[in-house]
Amino acid sequence: MVNQVVLITGILLVVLFAVAVFVWGHDAKASDIYGEGSSFLFPFFSIAFQLQDKRNRFRKSSLLIEREQQLMRQIKLIMPRESAQKQVIRLQCMRSTWVLVCFLLGICFCVLLSISAVLQPLIRENAYIQRTEYGQGDREANLIVSTKDRKQKYQLIVKERAYSEQEVTDFFNQATALLPTLILGQNSSPELISYPLQLVKEIEGMPFRISWESSNYDVVGSDGTVRNDDLSEDVVVTLTAGLSYLEYRFYTTLNVVVKPRVYTAEELEMIEIEKALAAQQEASSDRHALYLPKQVVGMDQIHWEEEPYMDWVWVLMLTGLAAIAIYVTKGTEIEKQRKEREVQLAMDYCELINKLTLYMNAGMTLRNIFFKLMTEYEKHSGIRKQYLYEEITMTCHEMQTGVSEADAYENFGKRCGLRQYVRLTALLNQNMKKGSNNLLVSLQQESRDAFETRKNMARRLGEEAGTKVLGPMMLMLGVVLVMIMIPAYLSFGM
């Protein structure tokens, strides 16, 4: 009953999704936000866009609004030329799109499982469980047994069907008739054995496990190997096959006639070439080069060439793996740059406060201090990129284009995005508007706090670096252990 309910529910959900694709699957607004991308995902994206649009009509919680604003600020930092609001909507819809794809695949899989359970029930006619045939393994059945008072789960292992004695005997008779043909391999008959035998371990459709014994292991091995290179006459070998199934054991014998090996023309050519190479090796053992024979007895002039160098295949495979690794790594590059920017801004904050305090004590105005910092950075801009001075440069350019000093400082704090910079710009604007005389005192206190923060951050970064080194150290330890244990193991084996 449960399987039928799951099947009907799954089909209804798939139909509902198909209706949603038909109604919402080609929305123009969604197409504008989706941009260029996979056409397979667009119907899902369009549905996610409609659901997002309907959700936005309801009142959002303050936490959700704050998260969206934080995401917009991050996107503005990473992609300043793109519309932050549009990118936020696209990001949220893409998340919902993959959730819809995941749910649809899961529902389809549940429907398929339910169809299988309905068409092939475990308990048939409410009376019996079908056993599996021999070789298919035991069957595990999770059941619920109901009595008058209670229901209880029960796990039952249904053994595969075992053959009766008569069936086993019939199988043995069939195997006895089949074995002389099955073991021949490339040989034409048991009386003309020149090539390796295929001593089968089992016969398809029969329950036996077969083991083999030979009356002459020097000629025919238990694995079917035929050693007839040195034979000068025919040799009769008796093979004994032992067939076993559960407690049943049967034995049958087969006689084969092993013929002396008859070499083909190609094999004779290779034998002559090997002899010529061996003779050349012996004759030129004290020389700096081995000259390959150009002529062999019974053959025309032969030509030697180097086997094609195929290591490029491995290089190509490694190149493909490297390309995949680069693609995955590049996908997280923006987030990595954003984190590096935040760390660098936080580390440089103490330096900025110290310079502001120093220059203000020297009598310089805030505007002149910012322009001086920009000039010093431009002189040494080729050394390395510093995000703090890039923002200071942008602030100076804003003031040069007519933006008020207060607004330029406020924009500077917003672009930096860290709390300490926002606090600093608020302090500077307050000093400009109210003319506070305590700015130097506040900057000195801020300098002390920034120095403590920088020390704590440096300590934390050092701990993170130590953690990253732990992986290679463990790898080196494993290599050392392998180098110690393998020789010890080999010495014990000897």
Side-chain angles (χ1 to χ4, degrees):
M1 183 65 182
V2 174
N3 293 325
Q4 287 87 338
V5 173
V6 172
L7 177 60
I8 295 172
T9 304
I11 293 175
L12 290 176
L13 289 175
V14 173
V15 171
L16 180 62
F17 180 81
V19 172
V21 170
F22 180 77
V23 176
W24 293 336
H26 304 283
D27 187 86
K29 294 182 179 179
S31 178
D32 179 61
I33 293 177
Y34 183 70
E36 297 180 359
S38 173
S39 57
F40 168 75
L41 289 178
F42 178 69
F44 299 90
F45 183 87
S46 183
I47 295 174
F49 177 78
Q50 293 292 337
L51 295 175
Q52 184 77 14
D53 183 60
K54 293 184 181 299
R55 192 192 70 171
N56 291 339
R57 296 178 183 178
F58 297 95
R59 184 178 179 181
K60 298 181 180 180
S61 64
S62 57
L63 179 61
L64 185 60
I65 294 174
E66 183 180 352
R67 287 181 178 177
E68 289 185 357
Q69 291 177 350
Q70 181 180 2
L71 185 59
M72 289 180 66
R73 288 194 295 268
Q74 292 179 353
I75 291 177
K76 284 181 179 179
L77 291 175
I78 299 172
M79 296 179 286
R81 298 183 181 181
E82 300 289 340
S83 172
Q85 185 176 6
K86 182 177 179 179
Q87 292 299 321
V88 168
I89 295 174
R90 187 179 189 280
L91 178 61
Q92 292 174 341
C93 290
M94 284 304 296
R95 289 176 178 175
S96 303
T97 296
W98 285 109
V99 171
L100 288 174
V101 172
C102 180
F103 271 112
L104 180 62
L105 293 176
I107 291 170
C108 292
F109 189 65
C110 291
V111 169
L112 293 176
L113 291 177
S114 301
I115 292 174
S116 176
V118 170
L119 296 179
Q120 297 178 349
L122 182 63
I123 302 178
R124 302 186 179 184
E125 299 178 8
N126 199 25
Y128 67 92
I129 298 176
Q130 188 75 28
R131 290 183 185 273
T132 55
E133 292 297 328
Y134 175 80
Q136 296 180 359
D138 299 338
R139 189 174 188 179
E140 183 178 310
N142 296 315
L143 307 174
I144 298 178
V145 56
S146 301
T147 61
K148 183 178 180 181
D149 300 328
R150 67 179 65 87
K151 290 185 178 181
Q152 187 172 354
K153 294 182 178 180
Y154 187 81
Q155 189 178 61
L156 176 64
I157 303 298
V158 183
K159 299 289 185 179
E160 64 181 10
R161 190 177 80 86
Y163 292 112
S164 65
E165 182 177 358
Q166 183 60 44
E167 289 176 318
V168 174
T169 303
D170 293 340
F171 278 131
F172 172 70
N173 294 330
Q174 296 176 22
T176 303
L178 291 174
L179 281 176
T181 304
L182 293 177
I183 67 172
L184 289 179
Q186 299 179 10
N187 302 285
S188 58
S189 72
E191 289 77 22
L192 298 172
I193 302 300
S194 300
Y195 302 101
L197 297 170
Q198 292 183 352
L199 301 184
V200 295
K201 301 298 182 182
E202 57 185 17
I203 301 176
E204 185 178 357
M206 297 187 184
F208 298 115
R209 297 290 181 267
I210 306 174
S211 60
W212 294 89
E213 293 182 2
S214 172
S215 62
N216 190 341
Y217 286 99
D218 293 334
V219 179
V220 178
S222 59
D223 59 350
T225 303
V226 175
R227 305 177 182 88
N228 59 345
D229 295 344
D230 301 329
L231 295 182
S232 58
E233 60 182 6
D234 298 348
V235 176
V236 179
V237 178
T238 301
L239 299 175
T240 302
L243 291 79
S244 61
Y245 167 66
L246 298 180
E247 70 275 11
Y248 302 103
R249 298 289 184 274
F250 300 95
Y251 296 93
T252 183
T253 58
L254 301 171
N255 291 326
V256 296
V257 179
V258 181
K259 297 287 185 178
R261 183 171 180 178
V262 177
Y263 293 98
T264 63
E266 291 80 3
E267 291 174 336
L268 290 174
E269 287 182 357
M270 290 305 301
I271 291 174
E272 293 298 330
I273 291 174
E274 290 176 359
K275 289 180 180 179
L277 282 173
Q280 195 73 1
Q281 286 268 27
E282 184 69 23
S284 62
S285 60
D286 57 343
R287 299 179 184 177
H288 294 288
L290 170 65
Y291 287 92
L292 301 174
K294 297 295 184 180
Q295 289 183 341
V296 178
V297 177
M299 283 182 281
D300 296 333
Q301 188 174 8
I302 60 177
H303 173 71
W304 299 89
E305 63 182 22
E306 187 177 355
E307 185 179 358
Y309 184 77
M310 297 298 292
D311 285 353
W312 60 268
V313 176
W314 296 104
V315 175
L316 187 60
M317 293 176 62
L318 292 176
T319 303
L321 294 176
I324 294 173
I326 291 172
Y327 179 79
V328 174
T329 304
K330 288 296 182 181
T332 60
E333 189 172 346
I334 293 180
E335 180 66 17
K336 182 179 179 181
Q337 290 178 356
R338 184 188 66 80
K339 291 181 179 180
E340 290 179 354
R341 177 181 180 274
E342 289 183 355
V343 171
Q344 191 184 109
L345 286 173
M347 294 293 287
D348 290 343
Y349 179 70
C350 180
E351 178 183 347
L352 175 62
I353 295 297
N354 290 335
K355 288 186 177 181
L356 287 176
T357 305
L358 177 64
Y359 290 142
M360 290 191 72
N361 277 327
M364 295 180 65
T365 62
L366 284 174
R367 182 185 181 94
N368 292 336
I369 292 174
F370 268 73
F371 276 94
K372 181 173 179 57
L373 294 176
M374 179 187 71
T375 304
E376 292 177 352
Y377 175 66
E378 289 178 347
K379 290 181 180 178
H380 306 88
S381 59
I383 300 176
R384 70 183 183 96
K385 182 177 180 180
Q386 290 183 274
Y387 291 102
L388 172 60
Y389 292 96
E390 292 286 339
E391 297 296 341
I392 290 175
T393 302
M394 188 176 295
T395 302
C396 293
H397 290 164
E398 286 183 348
M399 287 188 286
Q400 288 175 340
T401 56
V403 178
S404 65
E405 192 172 344
D407 291 339
Y409 294 150
E410 185 176 356
N411 294 337
F412 168 74
K414 290 180 179 179
R415 288 195 304 272
C416 291
L418 301 182
R419 288 180 299 176
Q420 52 265 46
Y421 285 95
V422 176
R423 185 170 61 247
L424 173 63
T425 54
L427 187 64
L428 298 180
N429 284 336
Q430 181 181 4
N431 176 70
M432 292 181 60
K433 293 177 181 178
K434 298 183 179 180
S436 174
N437 295 325
N438 297 326
L439 179 60
L440 279 175
V441 177
S442 300
L443 287 177
Q444 290 172 355
Q445 179 62 38
E446 188 72 18
S447 176
R448 288 190 290 270
D449 295 341
F451 182 67
E452 291 297 326
T453 304
R454 193 180 190 283
K455 285 197 301 183
N456 294 332
M457 181 173 291
R459 187 181 302 111
R460 179 173 59 83
L461 292 175
E463 294 173 353
E464 292 178 357
T467 304
K468 292 179 181 178
V469 174
L470 186 61
M473 290 178 62
M474 294 298 294
L475 182 61
M476 292 175 62
L477 176 62
V479 172
V480 172
L481 290 175
V482 169
M483 293 173 63
I484 295 174
M485 293 176 65
I486 288 181
Y489 176 77
L490 294 177
S491 64
F492 279 118
M494 294 175 63

